[in-house]
Amino acid sequence: MSFFNDPDSILVKNTETFTRAFLDIVLTKNQDCCVEAMRALGNFTQSEDSRRLLVEGRGLQAIIMLLDSSSIDLAFCVCGVLINMMVDRSTRTLIKNDQQTISKFVDLLKNAVDVDWALVGLVCQILWNYTEDMNSTHEYFDDIDAEDLITTLTDFTDPSIIATMLHPQSSTNETETREEVDEEYEEHFKESWGEFLPIGQSLLQRMEQCHSHLEPLVTPPD
């Protein structure tokens, strides 16, 4: 029901009430319930009122903590909400002051490639929104995270990663059935990687343009 964005809808008219209700469900930490609640919040957080409520009610911190979950479905839903949350400059400022959260994003990006390129793309979109006003990576990342992110994006956007991940060296002979499955998977893999590539390349370019191994100069007070 939350997909309907009719201004006269009871859901739209009571956005804050529903946002609070879904946040309460998230806080129960029941994984199945969290997934469904986060799916709904992915729609409600398209509303500025919903996003504001989550920030003011410390719901943002609770949602970020869910990134530690091993559930892939939950990770997808959390990323969808965070993409919406990063639209607001106030949210980006909060995140910038919490480098542990940035480290979570970078770690999730590095680990997501073993799961799905779609998830990699979502994390990149979060970081793209987060760095919208970035002039220097030193203002938005600690040095280790910045270097890790640039290295990871460089690897992920290199076309050779397709062959590396699809055809690792193996000493065993594959059966004909396995080869057929691999052909289907390979087609899906290449298609998913191709969908990730534009946002991955854009984020990498921004990171490289704003990154320097030198610390920015700080103007001394008069």
Side-chain angles (χ1 to χ4, degrees):
M1 292 177 64
S2 60
F3 285 90
F4 292 94
N5 199 23
D6 183 347
D8 295 325
S9 166
I10 188 173
L11 297 175
V12 175
K13 289 181 177 180
N14 295 276
T15 292
E16 293 190 15
T17 299
F18 281 104
T19 298
R20 288 191 182 93
F22 286 122
L23 180 57
D24 287 342
I25 294 174
V26 169
L27 294 176
T28 66
K29 298 184 180 180
N30 179 295
Q31 187 163 288
D32 291 337
C33 292
C34 278
V35 170
E36 296 305 320
M38 292 305 299
R39 282 177 178 153
L41 285 174
N43 291 285
F44 278 104
T45 51
Q46 295 178 45
S47 161
E48 183 178 355
D49 289 338
S50 179
R51 297 194 301 271
R52 175 183 50 77
L53 182 63
L54 288 178
V55 171
E56 292 177 354
R58 300 185 65 81
L60 177 61
Q61 289 87 341
I63 290 170
I64 289 172
M65 291 298 294
L66 295 177
L67 290 174
D68 294 329
S69 170
S70 59
S71 168
I72 302 306
D73 288 340
L74 187 54
F76 269 95
C77 295
V78 170
C79 286
V81 171
L82 291 175
I83 287 173
N84 293 341
M85 297 296 294
M86 289 294 183
V87 169
D88 301 322
R89 181 173 279 104
S90 59
T91 300
R92 297 198 295 270
T93 300
L94 285 174
I95 297 298
K96 188 165 66 171
N97 293 330
D98 181 7
Q99 284 301 312
Q100 287 186 338
T101 295
I102 301 305
S103 295
K104 286 181 185 291
F105 292 150
V106 176
D107 288 341
L108 179 59
L109 179 67
K110 291 189 293 186
N111 296 328
V113 71
D114 294 327
V115 180
D116 197 309
W117 283 109
L119 182 56
V120 175
L122 287 177
V123 180
C124 285
Q125 187 64 59
I126 292 172
L127 292 170
W128 176 259
N129 290 357
Y130 167 64
T131 57
E132 180 180 352
D133 302 317
M134 183 173 69
N135 293 312
S136 169
T137 57
H138 294 291
E139 300 172 357
Y140 284 73
F141 301 87
D142 66 28
D143 290 342
I144 294 177
D145 284 337
E147 293 285 352
D148 277 354
L149 182 55
I150 290 173
T151 299
T152 300
L153 289 171
T154 299
D155 291 341
F156 285 3
T157 55
D158 186 339
S160 66
I161 195 173
I162 296 178
T164 300
M165 296 190 69
L166 287 177
H167 305 292
Q169 292 184 350
S170 175
S171 59
T172 60
N173 294 323
E174 297 179 343
T175 64
E176 182 177 347
T177 301
R178 176 63 179 168
E179 288 175 352
E180 291 177 357
V181 172
D182 283 349
E183 287 179 5
E184 183 177 345
Y185 174 75
E186 182 170 339
E187 182 178 350
H188 171 72
F189 185 96
K190 290 179 179 178
E191 181 179 340
S192 298
W193 180 79
E195 292 174 354
F196 143 79
L197 192 57
I199 184 64
Q201 290 176 326
S202 296
L203 181 58
L204 175 59
Q205 182 179 29
R206 176 180 287 176
M207 290 294 298
E208 289 179 331
Q209 288 176 342
C210 297
H211 187 60
S212 170
H213 293 284
L214 300 176
E215 290 285 348
L217 292 175
V218 177
T219 304
D222 295 334

